[in-house]
Amino acid sequence: MSTAESYRLLIADDHPLFRSALREAMSGGAAVITEAGSFDEASKALEADSSIDLVLLDLNMPGVSGFSGLMYLRAQYPAVPVVVCSANEDPKVIRRCMEFGASGFIPKTLEVEKMREAVRVVLSGEEWTPPDIDLGAAGDDEAAKVAARLGTLTPQQVRVLMMLSQGLLNKQIAYELSVSEATVKAHVSAILAKLGVESRTQAVIAASKIEAGQWPERAPS
């Protein structure tokens, strides 16, 4: 990994103005910064550059919503720390992000110097969350159990579940992933078993409960 003085950073956010502001905030050092305006672009950037040291990830952007993008990145690229950048400062959301493997959570309202400090802390191998937000409160036990089950999914299974949530059929998922329908069916069966549900609809509902249960109505990304 690069040092804190020279590191490679991927900013994944669908708002150009925020990406620009974040780039400016992070460019105080010798950072090499790559930008992605969609989750697909972020995934391709990580595939193309194995030397990326840190990902700053928006929770909601084209191709992903809620925690599924974070889940996928942590499963597919476990060696690359992910810091969530969001306008949603609900302690429940922050707690869930950390449970899904985020190395930190940076509110979009945070001052520039504190953002830099948060990145330095994560690059040093530690976690960073807003010090003024209490993450120790008890959470929803049922949601925590579902979250734990979701955490056992493989990267490909996470992608399949993401596509199920978008309403895609097995044939469409197979086309998107360049695999056979039989492979997709096998993934779906594994997802149902891991989540302890009996149908793809129940799997989608279980996954959506994690997000709906933690998100205020029409929360900003």
Side-chain angles (χ1 to χ4, degrees):
M1 175 178 289
S2 308
T3 65
E5 288 73 31
S6 176
Y7 58 90
R8 304 183 73 85
L9 177 69
L10 171 61
I11 299 174
D13 192 292
D14 63 330
H15 296 96
L17 288 178
F18 182 73
R19 287 203 310 272
S20 177
L22 202 51
R23 170 185 280 275
E24 185 175 347
M26 295 298 111
S27 62
V32 177
I33 300 175
T34 301
E35 296 183 24
S38 69
F39 189 74
D40 185 54
E41 288 180 11
S43 297
K44 289 179 178 178
L46 284 164
E47 290 173 10
D49 187 356
S50 60
S51 65
I52 288 176
D53 295 312
L54 178 67
V55 177
L56 297 182
L57 177 71
D58 187 15
L59 286 174
N60 294 310
M61 57 193 304
V64 69
S65 65
F67 304 103
S68 54
L70 172 61
M71 289 169 53
Y72 177 77
L73 292 185
R74 294 304 300 133
Q76 182 70 23
Y77 307 100
V80 182
V82 178
V83 172
V84 172
C85 290
S86 177
N88 188 336
E89 300 179 36
D90 185 338
K92 294 178 182 178
V93 173
I94 300 175
R95 188 185 310 116
R96 192 66 70 213
C97 286
M98 302 307 288
E99 290 174 352
F100 276 126
S103 293
F105 186 98
I106 296 178
K108 288 186 174 181
T109 55
L110 199 66
E111 297 174 5
V112 169
E113 186 50 46
K114 290 185 178 180
M115 282 189 178
R116 291 175 181 163
E117 176 190 349
V119 168
R120 285 194 294 266
V121 167
V122 173
L123 286 172
S124 72
E126 300 179 28
E127 295 183 345
W128 192 94
T129 54
D132 58 336
I133 295 181
D134 179 17
L135 300 181
D140 183 338
D141 288 341
E142 185 58 34
K145 290 177 181 177
V146 175
R149 295 187 191 117
L150 287 169
T152 67
L153 300 181
T154 66
Q156 195 78 322
Q157 288 165 2
V158 172
R159 292 187 70 186
V160 170
L161 182 56
M162 288 164 63
M163 292 179 183
L164 289 177
S165 298
Q166 294 168 8
L168 271 63
L169 303 174
N170 285 356
K171 181 184 297 185
Q172 295 169 308
I173 296 174
Y175 175 79
E176 292 292 333
L177 298 180
S178 300
V179 299
S180 67
E181 260 190 89
T183 297
V184 173
K185 289 179 181 178
H187 282 314
V188 172
S189 296
I191 291 169
L192 300 186
K194 288 183 177 182
L195 297 187
V197 296
E198 298 180 354
S199 71
R200 54 199 290 150
T201 300
Q202 290 177 333
V204 170
I205 291 174
S208 67
K209 279 182 179 178
I210 292 294
E211 297 168 15
Q214 305 303 328
W215 242 260
E217 185 177 0
R218 296 186 64 80
S221 63

